[in-house]
């Protein structure tokens, strides 16, 4: 069991160094037009963050939008990242002038030393409505209409209610929301009332609920009353003005349209318009306009596949119950509106390769016995290439390095990859080998590779970049690999027990290039600094072209008697500006003494008793145990000699080596308690070890000694 505990301690010590973590609120909300930050906080085991070992990628909808590797690179000036805050671990993405299209899934990817972590985050984008009362003029005891407008809101879902005081009004109509050019919405709501004299002092309210309103937005107002004669005069004047305007407008229109005037015929379905490309996973909207639309016109959308037509029904088309919800296709949204003799309808959906390839959408109008329709055929569903895994690098032969890129599940087949390599940005195009294969779902995969002589990688700043072009992406995407060459510590220096007399210190360095590296160990104490002989280092070459090395030194346990003694390791490499060092002392040893409570038997006046204390888990075996007596604030070291032989103290320490090479000790003190001398006093066990800066003590607390009853 002791061996298992020791192994677990060592395992936990090793695991504790792998502490790269990403945190941040998973769901975030932003207002249209504002500047918003999506949080990504980096936590490392030894802050501050070393920017030389840090790489950051931000993706939006699986597309890289920003990266950091000693400098920020982005595909839009709207994206930014504060390099000043990176030292404290703040890698937030800032987006300026938020748009509706910015809403969706983001991914923060961080590579630090040899560790990689990712965090997925979501950004909801929207804007609350502005609410105004646009009509509140009424005539007493006559049917009147009140109007409330909610404008500039997103998303579309909104609730409008009317109140007279605390009474909720019925006869409420909420119009179909109208879309603005910036993709926000406006909606009007009316309520019909018959106002009385009592309503003059009454408050009326239009109350609006929306996702971007923390609380409902309520506009209170009082009615504006007009008497019947005034209303009649205004109405008459309004009618006269309207008639005059109609005559003027009709005359202008007749004059302008006279050469083109035709007799109004049957309704006509116009061609369906849609995006130039249907991209898998990105929303598409089809528009259809019908002219000369009669009142009884019925417009439907259908989907034709393999010669069969199926009507598309969604919850946007009509009122429905919860039971009907399961019958509707929620993956489509239909919005329709009529403007005089013109009827417009749109179909929104998310294209998918398997579902929509070779599908024909139909906009069909029916009036009486007449039917007319137009079609929109999905010839191609464009699917963006997916990077199956990171760009890889491996050795393929003596002095040759292969770089490989795998892209999967794209459509159509045509794709182009361009490889460049060189120092920093001065790259030259390298010829590549490509292999394209087709998947069962009729998408495609491509493998593209190049081979470069290993000697070229010795130049500092040498990097390889691959860029791919495809019809499904607006801007080409790229990845690159380079070798910083600077050695990286895979973990803190490992400390283990080599044998009963030595401590083993092990340093592992990775990801350096070229192979040559110098590692030196030193011992430093009051007498100065002297070199240590290390075990022959073990080096290895990794598949990614870099090297790693493990250097080990053995230190005698007796050297740790001096708590100020330090073990120092230093390494130098040509890609490092200055050498790096690490320093350790006995305080860094993981085997600190664990001390149990003092075992106290029942104490009786004049009868010998033994107190014991167990100490375990320490190394090296440089433990000191002292027993003390404390009474009235005075401390006395034990054992002590007394003229009374019955009260002499005897101290015993029994040390034992455990199976995990640590040590344990059972320390005891034997004495004869006397009520008159020791009632209420304390016995203290004090432990000292080089790994502990201060002694550790355990106390019995005040002793209770039972007196022998006289018969």
């Amino acid at each position: 069991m002791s061996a298992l505990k020791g192994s677990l301690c060592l395992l936990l010590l090793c695991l504790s160094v792998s502490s790269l973590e990403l945190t941040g609120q998973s769901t975030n909300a932003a207002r249209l037009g504002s500047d918003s930050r999506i949080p990504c906080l980096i936590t490392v085991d030894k802050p501050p963050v070393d920017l030389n070992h840090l790489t950051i990628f931000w993706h939006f909808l699986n597309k890289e939008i920003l990266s950091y590797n000693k400098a920020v690179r982005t595909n839009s000036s709207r994206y930014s990242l504060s390099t000043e805050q990176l030292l404290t671990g703040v890698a937030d993405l800032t987006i300026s002038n938020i748009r509706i299209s910015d809403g969706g899934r983001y991914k923060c990817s961080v590579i630090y030393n040899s560790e990689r972590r990712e965090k997925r985050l979501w950004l909801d984008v929207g804007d609350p409505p502005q609410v105004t009362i646009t009509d509140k003029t009424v005539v007493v005891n006559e049917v009147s209409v009140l109007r409330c407008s909610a404008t500039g809101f997103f998303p579309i879902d909104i609730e409008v209610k009317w109140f007279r005081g605390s009474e909720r009004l019925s006869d409420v109509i909420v119009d179909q929301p109208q879309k603005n050019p910036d993709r926000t919405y406006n909606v009007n709501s009316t309520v019909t009332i018959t106002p009385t004299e009592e309503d003059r002092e009454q408050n009326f309210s239009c109350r609006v609920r929306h996702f971007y309103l923390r609380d409902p937005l309520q506009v209170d107002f009082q009615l504006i009353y007009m008497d019947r004669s005034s209303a009649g005069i205004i109405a008459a004047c309004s009618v006269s003005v309207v008639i005059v305007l109609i005559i003027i407008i009709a005359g202008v229109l007749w004059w302008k349209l006279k050469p083109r005037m035709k007799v109004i015929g049957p309704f006509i379905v116009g061609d369906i318009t849609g995006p130039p490309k249907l991209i898998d996973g990105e929303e598409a909207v089809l528009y259809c306009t019908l002219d000369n639309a009669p009142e009884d016109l019925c417009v439907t959308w259908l989907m034709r596949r393999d010669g069969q037509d199926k009507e598309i029904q969604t919850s946007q088309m009509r009122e429905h119950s919860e039971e009907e919800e399961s019958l509707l296709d929620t993956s489509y949204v239909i919005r329709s509106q009529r403007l005089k003799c013109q009827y417009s309808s749109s179909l929104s959906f998310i294209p998918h390769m398997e579902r929509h390839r070779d599908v024909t959408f139909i906009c069909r109008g029916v009036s009486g016995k007449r039917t007319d329709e137009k079609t929109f055929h999905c010839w191609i569903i464009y699917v963006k290439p997916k990077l199956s895994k990171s760009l890889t690098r491996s050795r393929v032969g003596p002095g040759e390095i292969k770089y490989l890129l795998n892209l999967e599940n794209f459509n159509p087949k045509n794709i182009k990859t361009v490889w460049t390599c060189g120092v920093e940005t001065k790259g030259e195009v390298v010829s590549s080998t490509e292999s394209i294969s087709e998947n069962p779902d009729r998408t495609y995969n491509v493998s593209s590779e190049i081979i470069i002589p290993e000697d070229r990688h010795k130049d500092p700043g040498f990097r390889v970049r691959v860029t791919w072009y495809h019809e499904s992406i607006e801007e080409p995407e790229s990845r690159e690999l380079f070798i910083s060459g600077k050695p990286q510590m895979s973990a803190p220096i490992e400390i283990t027990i080599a044998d009963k007399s030595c401590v083993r210190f092990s340093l592992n360095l990775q990801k350096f290039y070229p192979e040559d590296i110098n590692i030196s160990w030193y011992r430093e104490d009051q007498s100065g600094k002297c070199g240590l002989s290390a075990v022959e280092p073990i080096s290895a070459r990794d598949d990614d072209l870099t090297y790693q090395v493990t250097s080990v030194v053995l230190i005698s346990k007796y050297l740790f008697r001096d708590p100020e003694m330090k073990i120092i390791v230093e390494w130098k490499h040509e890609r490092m500006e200055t050498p790096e060092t690490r320093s350790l002392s006995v305080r860094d040893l993981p085997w600190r003494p664990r001390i149990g409570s003092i075992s106290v038997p029942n104490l009786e006046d004049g009868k010998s008793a033994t107190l014991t204390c167990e100490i375990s888990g320490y190394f090296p075996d440089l433990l000191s145990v002292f027993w003390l007596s404390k009474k009235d604030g005075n401390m006395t070291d034990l054992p002590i000699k007394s003229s009374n032989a019955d009260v002499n103290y005897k101290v015993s320490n029994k040390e034992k080596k455990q199976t995990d090479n640590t040590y344990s000790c059972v320390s005891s003190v034997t004495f004869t308690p006397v009520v008159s001398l020791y009632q209420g006093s304390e016995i203290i066990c004090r432990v000292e070890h080089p790994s502990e800066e201060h002694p550790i003590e355990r106390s019995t607390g005040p002793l209770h000694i039972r007196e022998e009853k006289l018969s």
Side-chain angles (χ1 to χ4, degrees), residues 453-645:
E454 182 175 350
D455 290 343
R456 296 199 59 185
H457 295 77
K458 294 182 179 179
D459 299 328
F462 180 85
R463 62 189 65 218
V464 173
R465 172 186 287 263
V466 59
T467 304
W468 59 93
Y469 303 79
H470 190 255
E471 296 176 73
S472 63
I473 53 179
E474 296 180 4
E475 299 291 337
E477 297 188 26
S478 63
R479 295 290 187 277
E480 71 176 18
L481 279 178
F482 66 95
I483 304 175
S484 67
K486 183 179 178 181
Q488 301 174 15
M489 286 186 69
S490 62
I493 295 174
E494 181 182 7
I495 307 173
T496 56
I497 301 174
D499 52 41
K500 64 180 181 180
S501 62
C502 288
V503 178
R504 181 179 185 269
F505 291 83
S506 176
L507 168 71
N508 181 260
L509 299 174
Q510 296 182 351
K511 303 298 181 184
F512 59 89
Y513 188 91
E515 183 178 11
D516 294 335
I517 190 169
N518 181 267
I519 302 174
S520 302
W521 293 85
Y522 302 94
R523 176 171 63 87
E524 185 178 67
D525 53 23
Q526 294 180 351
S527 61
K529 185 176 179 182
C530 64
L532 296 172
S533 299
V535 179
E536 185 70 23
I538 302 173
S539 60
R541 187 171 67 175
D542 295 333
D543 290 338
D544 66 352
L545 190 62
T546 61
Y547 293 87
Q548 64 171 301
V549 65
T550 300
S551 180
V552 174
V553 68
L554 300 176
I555 306 297
S556 170
K557 66 179 182 180
Y558 299 107
L559 293 175
F560 294 105
R561 292 184 184 277
D562 178 7
E564 304 304 320
M565 187 270 294
K566 294 181 180 179
I567 302 299
I568 301 171
V569 61
E570 178 184 82
W571 60 94
K572 303 176 183 178
H573 188 266
E574 65 179 72
R575 295 289 174 89
M576 299 168 58
E577 295 180 1
T578 57
E580 286 194 34
T581 62
R582 294 293 185 273
S583 175
L584 301 121
S585 69
V586 67
R587 310 286 189 220
D588 296 299
L589 298 183
W591 313 289
R592 299 174 181 270
R594 298 190 296 272
I595 306 175
S597 300
I598 298 176
S599 176
V600 182
N602 293 327
L603 302 179
E604 296 184 16
D605 185 43
K607 291 186 178 182
S608 177
T610 299
L611 281 60
T612 60
C613 182
E614 295 187 5
I615 306 105
S616 62
Y618 59 91
F619 187 90
D621 54 339
L622 303 175
L623 191 76
S624 299
V625 183
F626 305 93
W627 289 88
L628 303 98
S629 174
K630 180 179 180 181
K631 186 173 184 181
D632 299 329
N634 297 317
M635 301 281 284
T636 304
D637 292 337
L638 303 179
I640 58 174
K641 296 292 184 180
S642 171
S643 58
N644 185 351

Side-chain angles (χ1 to χ4, degrees), residues 2 6 497 591 594 616-619 656-664:
S2 299
I497 301 174
W591 313 289
R594 298 190 296 272
S616 62
Y618 59 91
F619 187 90
K656 183 179 179 181
K657 185 178 180 182
Q658 304 299 310
T659 55
D660 64 351
N661 287 326
T662 63
Y663 289 86
S664 65

Side-chain angles (χ1 to χ4, degrees), residues 404-407 433-437 445-449:
L404 176 64
L405 171 74
N406 287 308
L407 299 173
T433 302
E434 291 185 357
S435 174
I436 297 180
S437 59
N445 303 335
V446 66
S447 293
S448 180
E449 64 180 57

Side-chain angles (χ1 to χ4, degrees), residues 78-188:
R78 294 176 55 243
Y79 302 123
S80 62
L81 181 147
S82 173
T83 55
E84 291 80 6
Q85 293 184 312
L86 287 179
L87 286 172
T88 60
V90 178
D92 298 356
L93 174 69
T94 299
I95 309 175
S96 62
N97 189 22
I98 287 288
R99 307 168 184 169
I100 291 176
S101 58
D102 292 324
R105 185 181 68 253
Y106 289 78
K107 182 173 68 175
C108 175
S109 303
V110 174
I111 302 173
Y112 190 69
N113 291 331
S114 59
E115 293 187 73
R116 182 186 182 102
R117 295 288 184 273
E118 293 182 351
K119 183 167 182 61
R120 298 181 185 275
L121 308 112
W122 187 271
L123 180 65
D124 287 319
V125 175
D127 223 16
Q130 301 293 321
V131 180
T132 55
I133 305 301
T134 56
D135 197 349
K136 55 185 176 181
T137 303
V138 299
V139 176
V140 68
N141 296 327
E142 290 191 4
V143 175
S144 304
V145 177
L146 309 180
R147 185 182 301 274
C148 175
S149 296
T151 58
F153 59 89
F154 186 89
I156 191 173
D157 301 312
I158 195 169
E159 179 188 80
V160 183
K161 295 180 180 178
W162 287 87
F163 293 87
R164 177 195 283 114
S166 59
E167 174 197 358
R168 183 176 174 180
L169 299 176
S170 55
D171 295 328
V172 174
I173 297 175
V174 180
D175 297 341
Q176 183 76 17
Q178 302 299 310
K179 196 171 187 178
N180 297 316
D182 64 355
R183 296 176 65 182
T184 61
Y185 294 91
N186 301 337
V187 71
N188 292 320

Side-chain angles (χ1 to χ4, degrees), residues 203-263:
N203 280 334
F204 286 77
S205 306
C206 175
R207 182 184 299 171
V208 175
R209 287 183 181 272
H210 186 264
F211 178 80
Y212 273 80
L213 290 171
R214 178 175 299 178
D215 300 306
L217 178 58
Q218 180 170 306
V219 178
D220 299 325
F221 64 96
Q222 290 187 327
L223 303 177
I224 299 176
Y225 279 78
M226 298 181 62
D227 56 45
R228 186 173 284 102
S229 59
S230 299
I233 294 172
I234 292 175
C237 292
S238 299
V239 171
S240 300
V241 171
V242 170
I243 292 174
V244 172
L245 288 174
I246 289 174
I247 293 173
I248 293 173
I249 293 172
V252 172
L253 291 176
W254 179 84
W255 179 77
K256 285 190 173 184
L257 301 177
K258 182 178 178 181
R260 295 174 288 171
M261 287 181 64
K262 295 182 180 180
V263 177

